[in-house]
Amino acid sequence: MKKSNFRPSKGRPALPADERKSIIVPVKFDIDSYRQMMDKAITAGLNRSEYIRQISVKGKVVERLSPRDVKVIRDLQGIASNLNQIAKFVNAIIKGGATEDMFMRTWKEILENKVFVQNLIMKYRNEADSV
C-alpha cells in the first residue's frame, strides 16, 4: 500500500551538512567594544552574526549596497540598454542605406538620452547634498 503525505513539511528545507553553519563560537565583549562592533555592523548593513563571521574569516567587511546605490545601478543599466539600441539602429542605417527620417529619429533619441543622463546626475548630486 502506498503512503501519502497529507501534511507536507513546513518551512525552509534543511541545508546539506557541508553548507550548514553548525559550530557556535561564543564571543565576549565589554560594553564599549560591543557598541563599537554593533555600530560597524549597522553601518555595513549586516546583522551581528554575519558581521562577526565576515570580519573573522575575510579580515574585512564589505558593505552592502544602499537602496540609493542599487537605484543608480539600475538607472545606469537602463542608459546602457538605450545606448546599445541606438548603436544597433545606427549600424542598421549605415548598412541598409539611410534616409533623413532615420537620422532625425536617431538624433532625437540621442538627445533624449543625454537629457535623461543630465537629469540623473543632478538628481543624485542633490540627494548626496541632502544626505
Side-chain angles (χ1 to χ4, degrees):
M1 180 175 204
K2 184 178 175 183
K3 274 190 170 181
S4 295
N5 188 4
F6 290 107
R7 290 190 295 167
S9 61
K10 296 178 183 171
R12 183 175 166 182
L15 289 171
D18 59 333
E19 293 180 28
R20 198 175 307 140
K21 295 177 180 84
S22 58
I23 300 171
I24 299 171
V25 180
V27 179
K28 291 188 176 186
F29 290 97
D30 60 58
I31 293 172
D32 294 330
S33 298
Y34 179 77
R35 286 184 183 153
Q36 187 177 15
M37 183 270 305
M38 285 304 296
D39 287 343
K40 289 180 180 180
I42 290 168
T43 302
L46 302 171
N47 63 30
R48 179 179 59 204
S49 297
E50 188 63 29
Y51 179 81
I52 293 171
R53 192 176 301 117
Q54 282 192 19
I55 202 74
S56 64
V57 173
K58 296 180 183 175
K60 66 177 182 176
V61 176
V62 178
E63 293 183 24
R64 292 185 179 154
L65 293 175
S66 69
R68 179 178 175 267
D69 293 337
V70 172
K71 186 172 183 333
V72 169
I73 290 170
R74 283 193 188 126
D75 290 341
L76 290 174
Q77 287 173 338
I79 293 168
S81 176
N82 289 344
L83 291 174
N84 193 25
Q85 289 174 357
I86 292 170
K88 285 181 182 179
F89 185 72
V90 169
N91 192 27
I93 290 173
I94 292 170
K95 286 183 178 180
T99 64
E100 189 175 329
D101 183 46
M102 290 180 183
F103 280 119
M104 292 305 293
R105 181 175 152 208
T106 304
W107 181 251
K108 183 179 175 185
E109 288 182 21
I110 291 171
L111 290 179
E112 287 173 1
N113 280 312
K114 176 185 171 192
V115 170
F116 180 71
V117 170
Q118 288 174 336
N119 289 338
L120 272 179
I121 291 169
M122 292 305 296
K123 178 181 174 183
Y124 291 119
R125 280 186 184 160
N126 292 336
E127 284 182 13
D129 293 340
S130 63
V131 173

